[in-house]
Amino acid sequence: MTTTQSFLDGLAAEVAGLPRASTAERVAELLRRRVTEGDLPPGSQLSEEQLSAVLQVSRNTLREAFRLLGHEGLLVHRLHRGVFVAELSDDDLVDVYRVRRAIEGDVVRRLGTAAAEDPGLLDPLRADVADGTAAARRGDWSGVGTANMHFHAHLVALAGSPRLDAATARLQAELRLAFQGADAEAMHAPYVQRNADLLDLVAAGRAAEAAAALEEYLDASLAHLLALRAAGRP
Amino acid sequence: MTTTQSFLDGLAAEVAGLPRASTAERVAELLRRRVTEGDLPPGSQLSEEQLSAVLQVSRNTLREAFRLLGHEGLLVHRLHRGVFVAELSDDDLVDVYRVRRAIEGDVVRRLGTAAAEDPGLLDPLRADVADGTAAARRGDWSGVGTANMHFHAHLVALAGSPRLDAATARLQAELRLAFQGADAEAMHAPYVQRNADLLDLVAAGRAAEAAAALEEYLDASLAHLLALRAAGRP
DNA sequence: CCTAGAGAGTTGTTGAACAATCCCACAAGA
DNA sequence: TCTTGTGGGATTGTTCAACAACTCTCTAGG
């Protein structure tokens, strides 16, 4: 070890984030954007021949990208029929929130007074709340939605569990799918304040109350989302 | 509808389990067995050329199978280096149990008195406990381990959540990996009784106590597993 | 109205080829 | 001795073209 430790800190993580990716992964990232941003509506089919021609990659590589997104829940693969942008049923949404309750509830409950003892722990959450309020003030409802997602991702990250982080990322990908077509303001606006309230409870170390508030929060959010979908469907 | 309903019951599910699968999925299933049964020790590399020759499938198909198992956590894929049987670190094990606590704890807590009101609900769990005790009596410790896993899978299944079921399946696959090389009796024997006790609490509708017992159960199991690994490693 | 079958189009799988990358051993230099 | 280049050999990453297997649709016939 001939170099200073401070220089080495975090280097590995930094390098891991760089464009060190296979072609399939880059294609997957591209498709991921198109899907989550609504360019590809749920239910639409992705033709191998057509896409491989447009993207200038072989069918085999494209298939690898399909598999990646399939395991993220964004695409569904039907044998001999092709891949389609996933369509979330109401039951799926209920299930997604079922898992969110389990994960986020457990995280909050187990936090206990840790946040009260180390205030810096919650800084990322505070930043997300600030981003959300700022975005709401300028009417950027898509920005509010993003801040919202970041808030919950950072909340789960407090547990320091790679598997919970991965599960959360997958759930959020599915949620983005469900948000397609919904009125962004109606969808995201009410939750800026609730995030702030939840953060206060966590920061105060009142874990039980925070867990209860979170539960009610998620129930309301699910009901809201289902109502919006029902309204926008017939 | 010209046939009797009784004949049709469950046929769809049965047929879905049959070899109705792509070649890649069948290869994945085959490798999955080899890995979880210990024929392929953690850390060993799976050569594309060699395996595709032995299994009589093309490299491309084999790669699709690799992707499937990679997303189950059984294999790890290192770019330009190949695929290896996953090696779980102690940190990974802690994380697996972290997620188990979150999921199973939530399931038990939320069950409330449902099991007390509909006793048939717990029949699969009772069967698993019976299998476990029978296997223990005849010294079949691998059988005890299997019954154990089924017990917890069925426990989670009570929630009726496809996503929790999938997550549990993945966690159990990783656990099987960690069990490799450990003394099967020491690993599984102590938990037959604890499963029975937990079942009693759930059946009685004493959800809070059951959740507490489960938590202590999982903590003990994790500590036990880590100790066994540390002992077998020097 | 229902069934069977032919045809078109898509996906599933293969095998070979070439490019890109890693690994190891060895040599050159400080 | 330690570090730093430089090969070659092996393995993986990606492409391509072809064929097999399958689904879907439409039509003819009962």
Side-chain angles (χ1 to χ4, degrees):
Chain A
M1 193 67 63
T2 62
T3 32
T4 62
Q5 187 59 38
S6 60
F7 170 74
L8 296 175
D9 275 355
L11 257 194
E14 200 174 323
V15 103
L18 286 178
R20 184 99 184 91
S22 69
T23 308
E25 282 166 54
R26 276 179 283 125
V27 169
E29 172 57 28
L30 191 154
L31 291 177
R32 190 173 5 243
R33 282 182 193 282
R34 291 292 186 285
V35 170
T36 58
E37 286 171 9
D39 296 335
L40 292 166
S44 55
Q45 180 168 11
L46 284 71
S47 154
E48 290 189 358
E49 193 172 3
Q50 187 180 330
L51 261 182
S52 67
V54 171
L55 297 177
Q56 303 273 44
V57 300
S58 79
R59 272 180 61 209
N60 281 317
T61 300
L62 184 60
R63 282 163 139 272
E64 291 212 1
F66 282 168
R67 277 249 138 83
L68 286 173
L69 296 172
H71 284 281
E72 290 176 27
L74 288 181
L75 303 181
V76 292
H77 184 171
R78 278 176 271 203
L79 193 58
H80 288 292
R81 257 175 271 183
V83 300
F84 304 78
V85 178
E87 290 181 285
L88 264 65
S89 67
D90 285 356
D91 283 348
D92 284 321
L93 267 181
V94 170
D95 196 35
V96 166
Y97 273 80
R98 177 79 177 72
V99 182
R100 287 189 71 184
R101 267 203 302 269
I103 292 180
E104 299 188 32
D106 186 82
V107 169
V108 167
R109 210 174 300 115
R110 232 170 270 277
L111 258 184
T113 59
E117 290 153 16
D118 176 4
L121 213 62
L122 299 181
D123 282 348
L125 303 195
R126 284 187 247 277
D128 294 329
V129 168
D131 287 349
T133 50
R137 203 175 342 258
R138 65 176 185 273
D140 171 12
W141 303 113
S142 155
V144 174
T146 300
N148 224 318
M149 295 243 173
H150 285 169
F151 178 85
H152 287 274
H154 282 141
L155 177 68
V156 173
L158 293 176
S161 161
R163 282 163 184 76
L164 288 183
D165 290 341
T168 299
R170 190 188 188 285
L171 292 174
Q172 292 197 344
E174 295 194 83
L175 277 182
R176 264 187 284 266
L177 219 49
F179 289 158
Q180 294 310 331
D183 174 10
E185 176 170 4
M187 191 64 250
H188 300 300
Y191 300 102
V192 177
Q193 187 54 47
R194 300 193 81 140
N195 283 342
D197 295 343
L198 179 60
L199 178 55
D200 286 341
L201 284 175
V202 172
R206 294 151 72 180
E209 291 168 75
L214 175 66
E215 183 129 344
E216 193 226 316
Y217 174 135
L218 290 176
D219 285 344
S221 172
L222 170 59
H224 185 191
L225 183 48
L226 288 176
L228 280 181
R229 280 161 59 96
R233 195 158 31 201
Chain B
M1 192 68 63
T2 62
T3 33
T4 62
Q5 188 58 38
S6 59
F7 171 75
L8 296 175
D9 275 355
L11 258 195
E14 201 176 323
V15 113
L18 286 178
R20 183 99 187 94
S22 70
T23 307
E25 281 167 56
R26 275 178 285 125
V27 169
E29 172 57 27
L30 192 154
L31 292 177
R32 188 172 8 240
R33 283 183 192 281
R34 291 291 186 285
V35 170
T36 58
E37 286 172 9
D39 296 335
L40 292 167
S44 56
Q45 180 169 13
L46 284 72
S47 154
E48 290 189 358
E49 192 170 5
Q50 187 180 330
L51 260 182
S52 66
V54 171
L55 297 177
Q56 304 271 43
V57 300
S58 78
R59 271 180 63 210
N60 281 315
T61 300
L62 184 61
R63 283 164 139 270
E64 291 215 2
F66 283 166
R67 289 265 178 202
L68 286 173
L69 295 172
H71 285 281
E72 289 176 26
L74 288 182
L75 302 181
V76 293
H77 185 173
R78 279 176 271 203
L79 194 59
H80 288 292
R81 254 174 275 183
V83 300
F84 304 78
V85 179
E87 288 181 288
L88 265 65
S89 68
D90 285 356
D91 284 348
D92 284 322
L93 267 182
V94 171
D95 195 35
V96 166
Y97 272 81
R98 177 80 177 73
V99 181
R100 284 190 71 185
R101 267 202 303 269
I103 291 180
E104 300 189 30
D106 186 82
V107 169
V108 167
R109 210 174 300 113
R110 231 170 272 275
L111 258 183
T113 58
E117 290 153 17
D118 176 4
L121 214 63
L122 299 181
D123 283 348
L125 302 195
R126 281 188 249 279
D128 293 330
V129 168
D131 287 351
T133 50
R137 202 174 343 255
R138 64 176 186 271
D140 171 13
W141 304 113
S142 155
V144 174
T146 302
N148 224 319
M149 295 243 172
H150 286 169
F151 178 85
H152 288 274
H154 282 139
L155 178 67
V156 173
L158 292 176
S161 160
R163 281 162 184 77
L164 288 183
D165 290 341
T168 298
R170 191 188 188 286
L171 292 174
Q172 293 198 342
E174 295 195 83
L175 276 183
R176 265 187 282 267
L177 219 49
F179 289 158
Q180 295 311 330
D183 175 10
E185 177 170 3
M187 193 62 249
H188 300 301
Y191 300 101
V192 176
Q193 187 55 47
R194 300 192 82 140
N195 283 342
D197 294 343
L198 179 60
L199 179 54
D200 286 340
L201 285 174
V202 173
R206 294 151 71 182
E209 291 168 76
L214 174 68
E215 183 129 342
E216 193 226 316
Y217 174 135
L218 290 176
D219 286 344
S221 171
L222 170 60
H224 186 191
L225 183 49
L226 288 176
L228 280 180
R229 281 162 58 97
R233 194 156 38 199

